[in-house]
Amino acid sequence: MNRLQTEDAIAAAIKDASGPLRILGGGTRPVGRPVTAEALSVAGLSGITLYEPGALTLVAKAGTPLAEIEDALTVANQRLAFEPQDFRAVLGTTGTPTIGGIVAGNVSGPRRIAVGACRDFLLGVRFVDGSGQIIKNGGRVMKNVTGYDLVKLMCGSYGTLGALTEVSLKVLPNVEAAATLRFVDLDMPESITLMSNALGSPFEVTGAARCGTDTLLRIEGFTGSVAYRADMLQSRLKLFGSADLITDAQTHAKIWLNIRDMTEFAEHDALWRVSLRPSHAAAFIQMMQQMHSFDYALDWGGGLVWAAAKTGTGDLEALHTELQHNASLMKGHCTLIKGSDALRTTLPAFQPEHPSIAAITAGLRAKFDPRGILNPGMMT
Amino acid sequence: MIVDRLQAVLTRGAVIHAESETRAYECDGLSAYRCPPLCVVLPTSTTEVAAILRVCYEMGVPVVPRGAGTSLAGGAMPTADAVILGVARMNNVLETSYEDRIIRVQTGRTNLSITGAVEADGFFYAPDPSSQLACAIAGNIAMNSGGAHCLKYGVTTNNLLGVTIVLMDGSVIEIGGGHLDAGGLDLLGVICGSEGQLGVVTEATLRILHKPEGARPVLMGFDSSEVAGACVSDIIKAGVLPVAIEFMDRPCIEVCEAFAKAGYPMCEALLIVEVEGSNLEIDEQLDLIKAIARTHNPVELREAKSADEAARIWLGRKSAFGAMGQINDYMCLDGTIPVSELPYVLRRIGELSKQYGLDVGNVFHAGDGNMHPLILYNANIPGQLETCEALGAEILKLCVEVGGCLTGEHGVGVEKRDLMLVQYTPSDLEAQMAVKDVFDPAWLLNPAKVFPLKSSEKRRTA
Ligand SMILES: Cc1cc2nc3c(=O)[nH]c(=O)nc-3n(C[C@H](O)[C@H](O)[C@H](O)COP(=O)(O)OP(=O)(O)OC[C@H]3O[C@@H](n4cnc5c(N)ncnc54)[C@H](O)[C@@H]3O)c2cc1C
């Protein structure tokens, strides 16, 4: 596999391709249905091309390692607020996650609930479509409604509509202080009620998760403000018992890294991500537990259910089908994040779409990739 | 003929075709352009919208969706061969869930009345265009509208979770819902901001938030816009994220002060910075902001000490457009620039203003670089509108030149369609038009908008 260094080279490679291509960033993330195709790596397109801390904007080539971007941001005391995951531990992969891979997957962590997802921070893209055309959309400014928003369309399209060559992102300041409130031993529905209550308060909770039997609320900001809000939340939520206040920076950071990357499920063989209304999560889990045995954790105040299982504890295929079936009954969706190649080959990793939506999706793919050569079948 | 067919599928009074009555729909907020439509339909349900679109689709009649008609870009302006489909009668709240922090409404509901439906319980809908009393959520979604507080809360697209959309052939599709983030492609993201060209949005699920405990603005005056710009940048770099940073230059300050008597200092540039939280949190942030401002030698630094003073600080800013309108006709531009280019762009606008002989006042959202240059002209003097449009085009080209864009929140509509090639290449536009091909293959929905007429001609006349 040769390392292409320029956008023009990527365009030429796609234009001249004689068969299907597998778009690769850092290759840390085998997503969706395995694609057997020639690899096309964008990792050679690397480097931050513009960073203006005073304007909260950063532009980088798609192959830029995430770590390089995070280092640059740290120097100016800023960060990617959407908290992209690093799934290398869970997936058992190695390599260097790239910003293009993050954008292609709309990868967003616990802070999504408060500040938005990767899509909400993506200001502009450059990409090469399936015909080898170079296309740009959006730009580097925070407000832009000039023409259609293809930026959102590209974000989360997993390289099936085009190979991203450059992305511009809005970044945010780092916070001065952070703290976590930990409530212990609540049952699951109670835990969701607590999180909904906290997220519906004026106290700006930036993380609300349940791991094991802990319910965790994160508060971030200026020192005085964090102390104040922690206090207010504790008295507002005292019905749920008393909470530990965790302010030690290292302990706090570790808690949220574990939630972000779901490291507690590193030993599991299959991992799913179910997006639901928080008020549906309890019923969803209880319904599933009647039929299958699996482990779970909650993020996004209950709006994100992580389900995990090991081979040997049950039929993973049946569990998968049931998860997607029930997610669709509740108008949500379920994606298989980790699973053997066999599992990902026989089953749809992405939630099957309603026929009317599937028709639009197919129509868009036919326009952006008329030959059907970009990660073909991956999202089906 | 079309009128008969539409009357057959709708209740009495839902079709308006008398010329005296369709005249009310001949323009939107961009009133320099006018054209009465073929007829106007005012459905009350998604089912009726679907029936209307099926009829128009079969007869090949173009449809222009309309919310409240406040677009400043001519987005809702009719053409003589088109049916106006207005959703104003569809204004019910369908569901509210504080547990999930969402509200689902019919899209004819006005922006402000969405907050109105939840504020008794302490909640609000964040995007707040200045037109929020009048504009409908339908138009907000179509234009991806912003507001003064979007520096913190984002614009419409960041607060929209789901839609019911009717395609031109009458099919009804649900996209998204009460959960976060799409399973497949982010169709919601491309529908938001598509200016009524992909489908008619009839229902929407929106994110609602609990209101902050309080808010307080501080007013700062500076000797030059360079210094004000540097102050904005320093505030942002210091890690404070105000909910709003508004900027006014001297021409604007003078007019607003004469009109609203808000007690503004007469200086070259004025900033209004607002932060939110409890009193303690507000003090914490404002202390930092004031310290930064002092390093830039402000000619005035005034923190609101009461609700009354806060209202006075906002009064001038909020009446800016009205004040300008009292003394002149004006054209409001909406380009966005990287904030670092602010001093250069303001200087160039000053030069262009002299060159074209028309005054320009600047009032805008400084935190995100969304400019609103107001070009003053007199419509009664022959040729001034044309001069004004030419100057407007120059200023928008300048915005693009420095790395910005033609429109930050008002949309392209008819007003800026022919400037699109300044910002995009023909293949960039092809990719966008390809999206419309998928949703509306016959190009019947709001067809002559957004894209340069030449670029879309083949598709529209096919
Ligand atoms: C005084 C004033 C101040 C303003 N301030 C702001 C501001 O601060 N921020 C801002 O962003 N804008 C502002 N605007 C512009 C305008 O208010 C917004 O663009 C608003 O969102 C338009 O909403 P509307 O309901 O009036 O839509 P309309 O003007 O009726 O239509 C706007 C567009 O939406 C489409 N549309 C309408 N209904 C539907 C539907 N059901 N389905 C699909 N498409 C549809 C139309 O075809 C058209 O393209 C301002 C306007 C005025 C007059």
Side-chain angles (χ1 to χ4, degrees), chain B residues 63-145:
Chain B
V63 173
V64 176
R66 185 178 177 103
T70 67
S71 168
L72 293 171
M77 196 195 102
T79 46
D81 61 348
V83 169
I84 287 277
L85 191 164
V87 291
R89 288 183 183 172
M90 300 177 60
N91 56 12
N92 292 326
V93 172
L94 304 169
E95 189 201 345
T96 310
S97 165
Y98 296 124
E99 205 180 348
D100 297 325
R101 299 165 299 283
I102 54 169
I103 185 168
R104 204 159 70 86
V105 297
Q106 288 184 309
T107 54
R109 195 168 181 92
T110 62
N111 174 294
L112 194 61
S113 70
I114 291 172
T115 290
V118 294
E119 71 184 340
D121 297 302
F123 282 76
F124 75 114
Y125 172 64
D128 59 340
S130 313
S131 51
Q132 67 183 154
L133 188 63
C135 67
I137 204 68
N140 292 180
I141 293 169
M143 292 312 198
N144 188 15
S145 301

Side-chain angles (χ1 to χ4, degrees), chain A residues 332-353:
Chain A
H333 58 88
C334 166
T335 312
L336 175 67
I337 296 295
K338 177 184 186 176
S340 63
D341 276 7
L343 204 58
R344 289 186 293 119
T345 306
T346 46
L347 298 165
F350 288 82
Q351 179 87 33
E353 292 176 323

